[in-house]
């Protein structure tokens, strides 16, 4: 579950591996200066779906920049002026853990154009990873952390990865050169940085960019009866090495010979 890494109490883990789960959902929708909330009774049963999408069509790969899609339908027919407008979606799951109710935000998403029907409204949303799909305009360079920070500032996305976290990965001091003739978008540049760090990128629960590494030990193993659909939890991936070939004058670093 490293994709959803978050600090949770042991009582939550015990609940998720048990037979009984008590939960509810609340979705905040922001449009301009207005905001409203949807709850369980407002959402069409079975319509709520979250899916992690890989930029290179692989579930596991160094450098993958995962984008999360979210879709659901609401019984609430919102104001007509929201139709066709871009809105911010912030869903939160609430779980009954022991005698307490614990909130787990699912991230921040953007819906470019809610579809308003006679009795329902349909939302197709994506997280902020898509904000990095901007073309690179000029050459820049720096250490992995500096490059990540620069890219986040250019694309207007908060950086949720600290310099200390980057320093614990491989190649944290490598100088990287990002050239627009070789790297097309800022998302491609993030993928390059993640490959160098032996990591991957994902948006965290607060809508910030998070650079993470695959773990040798699972954070948590869900029993079969708790799995509805999973891409990540059922696989074990082993890397025994990385083979590279550097060509003179054809790479990001100015190598002088093959």
């Amino acid at each position: 579950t490293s994709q959803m890494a978050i600090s949770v109490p042991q009582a939550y883990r015990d609940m998720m591996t048990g037979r009984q789960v008590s939960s509810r959902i609340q979705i905040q929708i922001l449009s301009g200066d207005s905001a409203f909330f949807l709850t369980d009774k407002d959402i069409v049963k079975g319509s709520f779906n979250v899916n992690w999408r890989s930029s290179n069509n692989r579930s596991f790969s160094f450098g993958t920049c995962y984008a999360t899609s979210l879709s659901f339908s609401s019984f609430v027919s919102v104001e007509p002026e929201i139709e066709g407008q871009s809105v911010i979606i912030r869903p939160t799951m609430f779980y009954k853990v022991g005698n307490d109710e614990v909130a787990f935000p699912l991230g921040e998403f953007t819906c470019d154009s809610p579809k308003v029907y006679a009795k329902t409204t349909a939302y197709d949303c994506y997280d902020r990873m898509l904000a990095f799909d901007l073309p690179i305009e000029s050459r820049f360079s720096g250490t992995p952390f500096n490059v990540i920070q620069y890219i986040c500032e250019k694309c207007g996305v908060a950086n949720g990865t600290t310099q200390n976290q980057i320093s614990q990965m491989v190649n944290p001091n490598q100088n990287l050169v990002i050239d627009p003739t070789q790297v097309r978008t800022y998302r491609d540049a993030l993928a390059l940085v993640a490959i160098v760090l032996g990591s991957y990128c994902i948006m965290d629960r607060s809508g910030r960019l998070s650079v993470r590494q695959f773990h040798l030990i699972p954070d948590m193993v869900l029993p079969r009866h708790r799995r509805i659909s999973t891409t990540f939890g059922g696989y074990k991936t082993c890397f025994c090495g990385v083979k590279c070939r550097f060509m003179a004058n054809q790479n990001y670093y100015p190598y002088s010979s093959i």
Side-chain angles (χ1 to χ4, degrees):
T1 55
S2 60
Q3 292 293 328
M4 299 293 288
I6 189 173
S7 298
V8 295
Q10 184 60 43
Y12 171 84
R13 295 173 180 266
D14 294 340
M15 175 197 66
M16 291 302 294
T17 55
R19 289 286 177 181
Q20 298 295 323
V21 175
S22 177
S23 65
R24 65 182 179 89
I25 190 170
Q26 177 177 278
I27 301 176
Q28 183 185 32
I29 300 179
L30 298 95
S31 177
D33 296 329
S34 63
F36 59 93
F37 291 89
L38 303 177
T39 59
D40 287 336
K41 64 180 179 61
D42 303 316
I43 300 169
V44 177
K45 186 176 181 179
S47 68
F48 189 86
N49 180 62
V50 180
N51 184 30
W52 284 265
R53 299 179 182 274
S54 169
S55 58
N56 57 4
N57 297 319
R58 295 182 182 180
S59 298
F60 289 104
S61 179
F62 291 140
T64 297
C65 295
Y66 294 98
T68 307
S69 65
L70 166 68
S71 62
F72 65 94
S73 295
S74 168
F75 287 118
V76 178
S77 184
V78 299
E79 293 82 352
E81 58 267 23
I82 289 183
E83 183 175 13
Q85 300 298 315
S86 179
V87 296
I88 303 298
I89 309 292
R90 294 175 180 166
T92 302
M93 291 295 299
F94 294 86
Y95 288 97
K96 187 70 178 296
V97 179
N99 296 322
D100 302 320
E101 187 177 61
V102 183
F104 292 93
L106 299 183
E108 182 175 290
F109 301 83
T110 300
C111 179
D112 288 333
S113 181
K115 297 179 176 64
V116 181
Y117 301 103
K119 296 182 179 180
T120 61
T121 301
Y123 297 86
D124 291 310
C125 324
Y126 287 91
D127 66 11
R128 294 281 289 158
M129 185 62 73
L130 271 62
F132 296 109
D133 288 338
L134 294 176
I136 297 176
E137 298 175 347
S138 58
R139 190 172 184 265
F140 60 96
S141 63
T143 63
F145 177 78
N146 291 336
V147 168
I148 292 170
Q149 187 69 25
Y150 174 83
I151 292 174
C152 286
E153 291 174 358
K154 290 289 290 185
C155 298
V157 178
N159 180 14
T161 307
T162 66
Q163 189 164 10
N164 181 59
Q165 290 172 317
I166 296 296
S167 68
Q168 298 177 35
M169 301 181 186
V170 297
N171 305 315
N173 299 315
Q174 178 70 42
N175 184 64
L176 303 176
V177 179
I178 309 298
D179 193 309
T181 63
Q182 298 172 312
V183 186
R184 188 173 61 87
T185 68
Y186 288 106
R187 188 171 175 183
D188 294 335
L190 282 177
L192 172 64
V193 176
I195 289 174
V196 172
L197 295 172
S199 61
Y200 63 92
C201 298
I202 196 171
M203 303 306 295
D204 68 13
R205 292 173 181 267
S206 299
R208 305 174 304 172
L209 176 71
S210 180
V211 180
R212 300 177 182 173
Q213 291 184 305
F214 296 110
H215 296 175
L216 293 176
I217 301 175
D219 296 327
M220 182 176 176
V221 178
L222 296 178
R224 184 173 296 276
H225 70 267
R226 190 62 67 218
R227 300 184 188 183
I228 299 174
S229 175
T230 176
T231 301
F232 305 98
Y235 291 86
K236 180 180 290 185
T237 303
C238 300
F239 294 94
C240 62
V242 179
K243 184 176 182 180
C244 301
R245 184 183 184 192
F246 298 99
M247 302 297 292
N249 302 320
Q250 295 181 21
N251 227 287
Y252 307 114
Y253 196 81
Y255 295 99
S256 58
S257 61
I258 296 177

